[in-house]
Amino acid sequence: MEIQLGDISHTIQLAIAPVFLLTGVGTKLAVLTNRLARIIDRSRVLEERVRGGNGSDQSEAWTELETLYRRAHLINRAITLSTSCGLFICVVIAALFIGGALDLALAKFIALLFVLAMFSLIGSFVYLLREIFVATRTMSMRRAQVKKR
């Protein structure tokens, strides 16, 4: 069995769409890791405040830390699901090439992987949205406290 140039170019054409999707997932991972880094940086500042602060200052810091821990947990799940999505897409691309090169019937396997990738991506967006809601709610609560003072 000899692989023809036309077959290879067709396989490459099939793999282009998942590669673009992989680029989008990589960009999303960059956004998620930047959000996590900001949460971690803010947590470190608050942890220092707790170590050296007085009673009321510590209480506010602990409250904010709890929210930041929750946000970090949500972002961590989003990162995990986005990474899983990226891995599934990589396997889809590999399966497209292997199936094309070896003339294997991998259509159902590829379809299953693609569906898993989409569910992972959807889950990642859900966790990102939840984290955004927590962050926005926290800002609204702080704004209300500032107005009371």
Side-chain angles (χ1 to χ4, degrees):
M1 175 175 86
E2 187 176 320
I3 300 173
Q4 299 295 319
L5 184 60
D7 295 337
I8 293 173
S9 65
H10 179 70
T11 303
I12 290 171
Q13 287 173 347
L14 286 174
I16 292 295
V19 169
F20 284 123
L21 180 59
L22 191 58
T23 302
V25 170
T27 303
K28 184 171 186 263
L29 276 168
V31 169
L32 292 171
T33 54
N34 284 336
R35 288 184 74 87
L36 182 60
R38 292 181 58 111
I39 291 168
I40 290 169
D41 290 344
R42 179 67 181 153
S43 295
R44 287 182 179 148
V45 168
L46 291 171
E47 287 166 353
E48 286 298 317
R49 188 180 297 169
V50 165
R51 283 189 203 107
N54 60 23
S56 67
D57 195 31
Q58 282 184 332
S59 176
E60 288 178 18
W62 273 115
T63 302
E64 189 175 346
L65 271 172
E66 287 299 322
T67 301
L68 289 173
Y69 293 153
R70 180 159 188 243
R71 287 179 59 197
H73 179 72
L74 292 170
I75 286 293
N76 198 14
R77 288 195 174 190
I79 289 170
T80 301
L81 287 169
S82 287
T83 304
S84 298
C85 176
L87 289 171
F88 286 134
I89 293 167
C90 288
V91 177
V92 164
I93 294 166
L96 283 168
F97 276 101
I98 292 169
L102 301 178
D103 200 26
L104 299 173
L106 298 177
K108 288 182 182 178
F109 177 68
I110 292 169
L112 174 66
L113 288 172
F114 188 77
V115 168
L116 289 173
M118 289 301 97
F119 280 135
S120 296
L121 189 61
I122 290 167
S124 176
F125 277 117
V126 167
Y127 279 110
L128 174 61
L129 191 59
R130 286 179 61 191
E131 188 272 334
I132 290 169
F133 286 157
V134 170
T136 305
R137 185 173 2 126
T138 303
M139 276 183 33
S140 298
M141 289 171 29
R142 270 198 236 127
R143 181 176 174 215
Q145 287 175 347
V146 168
K147 280 186 173 183
K148 286 181 185 179
R149 293 178 188 174

